[in-house]
Amino acid sequence: MSPAELHADSIVIDGLIIAKWNRELFEDMRKGGLTAANCTVSVWEGFQATVNNIAASSKLIRENSDLVIPVRTTADIRKAKEQGKTGILFGFQNAHAFEDQIGYVEVFKQLGVGIVQMCYNTQNLVGTGCYERDGGLSGFGREIVAEMNRVGVMCDLSHVGSKTSEEVILESKKPVCYSHCLPSGLKEHPRNKSDEELKFIADHGGFVGVTMFAPFLAKGIDSTIDDYAEAIEYVMNLVGEDAIGIGTDFTQGHGQDFFEWLTHDKGYARRLTNFGKIVNPLGIRTVGEFPNLTETLLKRGMPERVVRKVMGENWVRVLKDVWGE
């Protein structure tokens, strides 16, 4: 099979996209051969604003049903593949939208939310993010994890502090993930995960989605798709070929105001970090260039069967473990 044929034949899943929602994005997803994506509908928002986001996003999906379909189950992912469309899975980057109500976990599950990151960079009622002194998983957080396990929502730890992450991994009865992270073995950064952390989540049945967000890559905005592939290979050497996938963190279409909102606590308070200029690696600047990743992994010597796993099959398996369907 040629790289293009393998990409077209494979299930291709992006474990994290936070791009600007519009038809142009959906068209680019189709150009890139994307089977499904975990798309962020909540970061700093509370319950009501998140429900509003889901309502608007659901309307957009309906209006563009020639390109995209909603994803509730792994069968929906396979249906998207068969129909030549992209499946949209709703995800949170912060458990803040649950507020102090455990019952909201099931409410959001019924609205199509399948993955929730426990914290976004700072403290919430569940635990601590990676830019703050880490107090670990709260008692309420343990109840939230148990409820997420019960209703079938995956716990994501990408922006979560090290201690809180470890305690969620140990607390959860279902596989958890870093949906979009990079190894600190290639670059020291508060958002990157140590070799020990990557091994720990994999040893406990968890999953790692590797991101290509330039500020976390060793060469920053000078990175290429080969630098991204190197990071994937580095992580795979630690976690094995079954516990790894893609989570690009595409922010396509957003302007500087969006990044200002992301990088201040609660969207407006103290500055947590400054990304500077954001340019995706050369060769995968846009979602439409996804086929280049399959080609690059093959070119670097990754076997076809492993490329299929990394590009999406592993995500399908772990999501089925969590969702039960």
Side-chain angles (χ1 to χ4, degrees), residues 272-315:
L272 302 168
T273 185
N274 192 348
F275 295 137
K277 189 178 180 183
I278 294 170
V279 180
N280 290 329
L282 182 66
I284 191 162
R285 296 263 202 254
T286 63
V287 180
E289 291 185 291
F290 240 103
N292 294 349
L293 184 56
T294 296
E295 184 177 2
T296 301
L297 294 174
L298 288 168
K299 184 183 71 185
R300 292 171 66 94
M302 192 178 286
E304 276 191 17
R305 131 194 108 69
V306 180
V307 171
R308 285 182 186 271
K309 287 183 178 185
V310 171
M311 293 303 290
E313 283 180 5
N314 286 342
W315 262 124

Side-chain angles (χ1 to χ4, degrees), residues 8 16 36 42 92 121 132 135-136 142-143 150 162 166 170 181 207 212 233 241 247 249-250 289 304 308:
L16 199 287
S42 187
F92 294 176
N121 293 340
E132 198 152 7
R142 292 177 197 281
E143 293 183 272
R150 185 185 76 82
S162 181
E166 180 184 339
L170 294 173
C181 76
F207 190 85
M212 58 172 201
E233 291 158 1
E241 65 184 51
D249 208 3
F250 263 117
E289 291 185 291
E304 276 191 17
R308 285 182 186 271

Side-chain angles (χ1 to χ4, degrees), residues 198-199 201-202 208 234-244:
L198 292 167
K199 285 176 184 169
I201 195 169
V208 181
Y234 183 99
V235 172
M236 191 161 74
N237 283 336
L238 293 169
V239 306
E241 65 184 51
D242 295 318
I244 186 170

Side-chain angles (χ1 to χ4, degrees), residues 162-181:
S162 181
K163 183 175 170 61
T164 300
S165 294
E166 180 184 339
E167 292 180 355
V168 171
I169 292 165
L170 294 173
E171 187 72 23
S172 180
K173 304 294 189 288
K174 300 273 185 78
V176 305
C177 70
Y178 296 126
S179 70
H180 58 299
C181 76

Side-chain angles (χ1 to χ4, degrees), residues 80-91:
K81 183 68 182 173
E82 288 163 13
Q83 294 182 359
K85 298 178 182 179
T86 298
I88 304 294
L89 152 68
F90 292 152

